[in-house]
Amino acid sequence: MLTMLFRRAVYAVPLLLAVPIVLFFLLRAAPGSPVDSIIGEFPVPDEYRQQLEALYGLDRPLGEQLWTYFLRAITFDFGYSYANGSDVADLVWSRLGGTLILVVPALLISSALGLLFGLMAGFSRSRRTDDVISTSVLISLALPSFWVAQMLVIMFSIQLGWFPNSGMQSMRGADAGSVSDVLWHLVLPLAALVIIEFGAVARVTRASTLEVIGLDYVTTAQMKGLTQRQIGIRHVLRNASLPAITVIGGRFGRAIAGSILIETVFNWPGMGSLLYRSIGQRENQVLLAIVMVIAISVVAANLITDLVYSVADPRIRNA
Amino acid sequence: MSFRGALRRALTAVAVAAAMTVSACSSTSPSTSSSGSDSTSTAGSAVAGGELIIGYSLEPTTLNPLLTTNQQTLAASALWAQGLTYLDADFVPQPRLAESWESSSDGLTHTYHLRPDVVWHDGEPFTAEDVVWTLTDGVANLANAKLALANATSITALDDHTVEIVLSEPSSVLPTVLSEAVVRILPAHVYRGTDITTSEANLAPIGTGPFKFDSWAKGESISYVRNEDYWDGAPALDGVTIALFSDTTAVVNALRTGEIDYTPWFPDTAMTLVAGDDEVVVGPSAGVFPTQAMLAFNTVDGPTADPGVRRALVQAIDRDQILQSAWSGAGQIGEGPIAPSFVGRYDPDITYTSSYPYDVEAAKAALDAAGYAQSGNSPRFSIVYKTFAGNEQSLSVGELLRSQLAEVGVEVSIEAVDNASIPTVVFTDFDFDLFHTTYFDADPAFILNRQYSCGSVGVQYGNMSQYCSPELDAALADLLAATTTEEYDSAITDATSVIMEDVPYLVMVNPQLQRAWRSNLHGVEELSSTSANWPNFGTVSFTES
């Protein structure tokens, strides 16, 4: 098993090395320059433009620019962002926290809900339960994230006034920035992300539950006189959750992607809103840093998934 | 939530009570100027203290107003930085850091007398040296400032509080350039000897304004605190925080729930959302210069290279429908290259309406005459309309133009270009037939120069039509060098005549842009009527609820 994990980790290396190269050419293909967002909306003297282009290294030959870009990616020295007035690494690092506070709980809650609902739908004898759950799963899968986020804002912030709709903390007031203040701000964006994420897990869990439930060992367990609860937890859940683990691991990258729009709607200071802004600014180094962080997270999430999978499934562990 | 709400109300009550006590004791009320400013809609009396939160839909890239023309940077700089003068609502300079000024009769020597009692936020005195540094090294990156100051033969400090500017030829834009509409004075002792482009002070600036920079939490907020030593009297507010958003809708949402108090940019499309909401007030923008929504023709390639075709298209476009439908009627239809808000500085006799009244039949005849006769139902020619992706107004203008021009047999296809690509696609590659954008500026000469001059072709946010006329350039040079009203008016008339003959652009609408604020703010309404520059909020306060 260790050999397998090692092999997977080695495969990830060329993938990660290819990321900056592909990104470099993608960004070159799009018209526009990082200098534009800095100089503003009016003409500037030519010398100023050239000075800024030199700061960005845009006056160098293409090959040299690519090599610098590549070196930045593998040494994690992303340089200084003039559009943000900050070291790129510091900037992305400070925003990573915001995204993790949102994405990690969202993944945990949506996975738990997904497993629970999937199991209930598959296990339930009542048509009604299955219909209700399956419909909500379909809704979760089909709704665009920004729409869900906007609806939550309209309902729970503007109409009911229960929760704030912007930022991670209050800008004024005695308890601004306290833990309860941050949690209060977290509720709506977290809910939005959970709503669009739980469906995928629930759908897979339901399908595999239906598959497992017809197998001989479940019938045997029923004949032994075990209660539904015992069968559900000990026999069905353990086996039915295997495909769900794969799905959950694969959701990590998607959840970060999904958080881009949700962070933008809720003005949540995370990596997603920084990514959104940096695309508009063509701020190449920031984009590189964020894409590298996402690529590494996705690779790491896949490795962890493999690991968890092998722990949960003895057949893989012993293979 | 109800507990939190109760807690908040209790805290607010305590804060208000405390503030009232303080203001009753010290009775500092800088905002009670005699100009009838208390006649506005806000009920309740002003109280001292409180933190004003302003929402921006884009984070500034720098806080230094000499390095960028990004509106976010310029709007934020009004809180802490000031110019020698400011422009009042009629674009006439009024004293700010300069108490008075005089010019020689030949228009070459200009002397500015500075306020003696001004202190920088770091405690250093403000002197003529600061002005000299700003007007020489400081303005190197500002194109509009260079229009006037490139002719300066000397800028010297006669004494600590007197600055003399000597030009080699007169400049009609100098008064605008020396106002805070273009140049805000920055401290020489901070910048001299450093590279202004990369200075750390650009992120933590020192100024002379009513609020001092405090902190910048990237991606979240920029905070300013009250300048107790402000020369014009300390402001009522404890501080101002700029909340940074990345989306206009999020700004509007936050305004509706009171998470922010003010936004300088309020989209027309959000008007219906706040209709009937007593707590949100929408009013004409303060600080945005006269704006024109215009259609640029490609004057080098394609059918629009023919002036006859351009004149015909102008006759075929119903500008009033565009104003009513795309701009919800907020503004005026365009009548020429200079916005009517520049009172007395445009020629009212040369207008689109008098030259090319809306007339579909005449437009058809003109297109026939230009060699684009229509046979059957196939269009005379097809042209591409480009504009900013995500700009609903520009896209709806495109739809209206498509249907209006279809009437005369011209087919228009609409392409939305993402914002970051526009500078390359439009200003470098000129890859369009029609392009729609808005331009605004603090002086008619600035607008004419960047939009119509030969030298602005190929310059970003310059002359994308590629129109170039030596006759017009000569008129623009006369305009820049005019020293008397007669010279100024005749240069304006000459320039307008050429522009009206060749129509490289059609100014369709002079829109009235909007801002919005919470109704518990006092002294906000008059910000747009007292100055043409971004407001500094020194006279704004909360009202007692």
Side-chain angles (χ1 to χ4, degrees):
Chain A
M1 184 200 80
L2 277 176
T3 330
M4 182 205 73
L5 272 183
F6 181 73
R7 205 177 327 131
R8 297 248 166 140
V10 169
Y11 285 161
V13 172
L15 180 77
L16 289 177
L17 291 182
V19 165
I21 299 173
V22 172
L23 185 64
F24 179 84
F25 286 107
L26 270 180
L27 290 171
R28 293 290 302 196
S33 152
V35 171
D36 297 330
S37 77
I38 292 188
I39 60 177
E41 298 138 30
F42 287 65
V44 291
D46 279 344
E47 311 86 71
Y48 183 37
R49 197 178 169 83
Q50 285 153 11
Q51 191 193 354
L52 288 173
E53 282 174 350
L55 278 178
Y56 274 91
L58 294 172
D59 54 341
R60 305 283 160 71
L62 192 64
E64 191 186 325
Q65 287 185 42
L66 173 62
W67 178 240
T68 314
Y69 208 61
F70 185 71
L71 277 185
R72 285 189 189 289
I74 59 170
T75 58
F76 275 72
D77 173 14
F78 296 105
Y80 187 83
S81 163
Y82 292 97
N84 292 284
S86 166
D87 207 54
V88 174
D90 291 349
L91 184 71
V92 174
W93 191 246
S94 71
R95 296 295 198 91
L96 183 62
T99 294
L100 291 182
I101 289 175
L102 181 61
V103 169
V104 171
L107 267 184
L108 292 177
I109 295 172
S110 64
S111 304
L113 282 179
L115 281 172
L116 182 70
F117 286 166
L119 204 61
M120 276 168 63
F123 206 53
S124 161
R125 299 249 160 74
S126 137
R127 236 348 270 238
R128 218 131 135 233
T129 316
D130 189 22
D131 281 352
V132 168
I133 293 177
S134 297
T135 309
S136 56
V137 165
L138 260 183
I139 291 173
S140 159
L141 287 170
L143 290 181
S145 57
F146 60 88
W147 189 85
V148 172
Q150 193 63 36
M151 285 303 125
L152 290 178
V153 166
I154 291 173
M155 225 182 299
F156 295 102
S157 179
I158 292 174
Q159 295 300 332
L160 295 170
W162 291 354
F163 299 103
N165 56 40
S166 69
M168 197 163 157
Q169 54 185 15
S170 303
M171 297 270 170
R172 60 185 157 204
D175 60 346
S178 66
V179 174
S180 66
D181 189 44
V182 172
L183 287 177
W184 188 44
H185 281 77
L186 181 62
V187 173
L188 289 186
L190 183 64
L193 203 49
V194 167
I195 288 173
I196 61 161
E197 285 298 320
F198 90 93
V201 179
R203 186 171 62 167
V204 171
T205 310
R206 176 178 173 273
S208 57
T209 303
L210 283 174
E211 197 184 306
V212 168
I213 219 165
L215 293 179
D216 290 346
Y217 61 83
V218 176
T219 320
T220 312
Q222 281 166 339
M223 284 163 60
K224 280 198 316 197
L226 295 184
T227 63
Q228 284 290 85
R229 175 184 291 264
Q230 283 170 318
I231 297 172
I233 292 173
R234 206 178 298 164
H235 296 283
V236 180
L237 175 62
R238 182 117 187 240
N239 286 292
S241 63
L242 288 176
I245 291 173
T246 318
V247 173
I248 293 168
R251 299 298 297 174
F252 187 78
R254 294 206 38 158
I256 288 186
S259 79
I260 294 175
L261 291 174
I262 288 177
E263 284 179 14
T264 304
V265 171
F266 288 101
N267 204 35
W268 188 261
M271 232 166 37
S273 49
L274 180 65
L275 180 70
Y276 179 79
R277 165 179 152 86
S278 300
I279 292 171
Q281 292 179 326
R282 300 282 189 269
E283 192 64 12
N284 296 339
Q285 288 144 268
V286 177
L287 288 173
L288 177 67
I290 295 177
V291 170
M292 285 308 286
V293 167
I294 293 177
I296 290 169
S297 319
V298 169
V299 167
N302 281 334
L303 286 177
I304 292 169
T305 310
D306 287 342
L307 195 66
V308 172
Y309 203 88
S310 64
V311 170
D313 189 346
R315 288 169 299 186
I316 304 260
R317 196 182 331 160
N318 300 328
Chain B
M1 169 52 205
S2 58
F3 167 72
R4 291 187 64 100
L7 183 70
R8 265 156 205 244
R9 273 193 294 277
L11 282 172
T12 315
V14 171
V16 167
M20 281 168 65
T21 320
V22 170
S23 62
C25 292
S26 60
S27 81
T28 50
S29 51
S31 61
T32 47
S33 56
S34 58
S35 58
S37 60
D38 51 349
S39 64
T40 52
S41 63
T42 41
S45 56
V47 293
E51 181 84 14
L52 178 75
I53 303 182
I54 302 178
Y56 282 15
S57 56
L58 195 64
E59 185 168 9
T61 55
T62 173
L63 297 182
N64 187 333
L66 299 179
L67 287 184
T68 183
T69 48
N70 273 327
Q71 295 302 297
Q72 293 73 27
T73 300
L74 299 184
S77 72
L79 293 166
W80 60 271
Q82 301 185 301
L84 290 176
T85 64
Y86 71 94
L87 299 180
D88 66 17
D90 295 326
F91 297 87
V92 178
Q94 302 293 339
R96 190 79 96 188
L97 291 175
E99 283 178 319
S100 61
W101 52 91
E102 66 260 351
S103 305
S104 63
S105 55
D106 59 3
L108 294 180
T109 306
H110 306 265
T111 313
Y112 280 75
H113 304 281
L114 310 180
R115 257 173 222 288
D117 53 346
V118 180
V119 177
W120 292 104
H121 292 157
D122 61 0
E124 295 286 322
F126 161 79
T127 69
E129 276 307 308
D130 298 308
V131 179
V132 171
W133 176 85
T134 303
L135 296 183
T136 50
D137 298 346
V139 298
N141 299 324
L142 289 180
N144 277 347
K146 286 188 131 186
L147 267 186
L149 295 172
N151 295 334
T153 50
S154 79
I155 300 174
T156 43
L158 297 184
D159 61 46
D160 269 1
H161 300 109
T162 314
V163 178
E164 185 189 69
I165 299 162
V166 181
L167 303 179
S168 58
E169 50 187 292
S171 167
S172 66
V173 291
L174 189 72
T176 310
V177 166
L178 294 183
S179 77
E180 60 190 32
V182 179
V183 178
R184 290 179 192 266
I185 308 297
L186 295 190
H189 69 273
V190 170
Y191 282 101
R192 185 167 272 160
T194 68
D195 178 0
I196 183 177
T197 320
T198 53
S199 168
E200 285 294 309
N202 299 337
L203 307 174
I206 302 283
T208 56
F211 294 95
K212 295 191 213 190
F213 172 82
D214 180 48
S215 62
W216 185 354
K218 295 280 162 53
E220 291 187 70
S221 61
I222 309 173
S223 301
Y224 302 83
V225 295
R226 167 170 42 208
N227 176 9
E228 300 290 354
D229 304 318
Y230 184 48
W231 57 268
D232 203 14
L237 295 166
D238 289 332
V240 177
T241 295
I242 296 172
L244 304 166
F245 293 76
S246 43
D247 176 57
T248 336
T249 314
V251 176
V252 175
N253 289 339
L255 184 72
R256 293 173 72 191
T257 53
E259 286 165 60
I260 63 170
D261 304 307
Y262 184 94
T263 181
W265 303 277
F266 189 81
D268 285 351
T269 43
M271 292 292 260
T272 50
L273 295 177
V274 297
D277 185 339
D278 296 342
E279 292 180 327
V280 175
V281 187
V282 179
S285 67
V288 181
F289 297 129
T291 305
Q292 54 185 46
M294 67 200 191
L295 191 64
F297 296 105
N298 189 329
T299 63
V300 169
D301 284 319
T304 53
D306 178 350
V309 169
R310 298 200 294 270
R311 289 190 283 264
L313 294 183
V314 169
Q315 282 210 287
I317 293 172
D318 180 357
R319 304 195 303 289
D320 192 52
Q321 189 194 25
I322 287 169
L323 170 66
Q324 301 306 334
S325 304
W327 295 91
S328 319
Q332 296 165 272
I333 59 164
E335 278 297 4
I338 299 169
S341 331
F342 289 117
V343 178
R345 294 167 77 181
Y346 62 97
D347 191 327
D349 299 328
I350 312 176
T351 64
Y352 294 128
T353 302
S354 60
S355 309
Y356 313 106
Y358 173 60
D359 186 338
V360 173
E361 292 311 314
K364 283 180 185 170
L367 286 170
D368 287 341
Y372 291 100
Q374 190 171 21
S375 57
N377 278 334
S378 58
R380 297 171 195 267
F381 52 80
S382 294
I383 46 180
V384 179
Y385 170 94
K386 289 196 179 176
T387 192
F388 294 88
N391 185 327
E392 291 176 48
Q393 243 138 8
S394 289
L395 293 172
S396 87
V397 168
E399 294 296 342
L400 292 166
L401 285 178
R402 173 152 67 188
S403 67
Q404 290 179 3
L405 295 183
E407 294 281 310
V408 296
V410 172
E411 186 178 62
V412 177
S413 61
I414 299 171
E415 278 181 37
V417 183
D418 91 295
N419 293 6
S421 302
I422 291 274
T424 311
V425 171
V426 173
F427 295 98
T428 309
D429 297 344
F430 309 109
D431 184 14
F432 65 92
D433 294 305
L434 307 174
F435 175 67
H436 182 262
T437 189
T438 52
Y439 269 11
F440 50 87
D441 230 318
D443 195 290
F446 292 163
I447 278 276
L448 294 179
N449 189 65
R450 75 157 151 148
Q451 196 180 333
Y452 295 92
S453 74
C454 301
S456 297
V457 175
V459 171
Q460 291 201 1
Y461 301 103
N463 180 356
M464 67 287 226
S465 77
Q466 304 174 72
Y467 176 74
C468 177
S469 148
E471 198 188 343
L472 179 56
D473 271 14
L476 293 181
D478 290 346
L479 180 65
L480 285 172
T483 47
T484 63
T485 317
E486 291 72 35
E487 283 173 21
Y488 192 93
D489 289 349
S490 108
I492 288 278
T493 301
D494 290 349
T496 312
S497 310
V498 180
I499 290 168
M500 207 45 85
E501 175 68 18
D502 290 342
V503 283
Y505 299 85
L506 170 63
V507 176
M508 295 190 287
V509 173
N510 291 114
Q512 175 57 64
L513 303 182
Q514 311 286 342
R515 66 195 162 118
W517 60 90
R518 300 285 295 178
S519 56
N520 63 340
L521 283 181
H522 180 85
V524 180
E525 191 124 26
E526 35 290 54
L527 294 179
S528 59
S529 55
T530 49
S531 169
N533 299 122
W534 292 108
N536 65 27
F537 294 92
T539 55
V540 168
S541 59
F542 285 99
T543 54
E544 199 181 322
S545 51

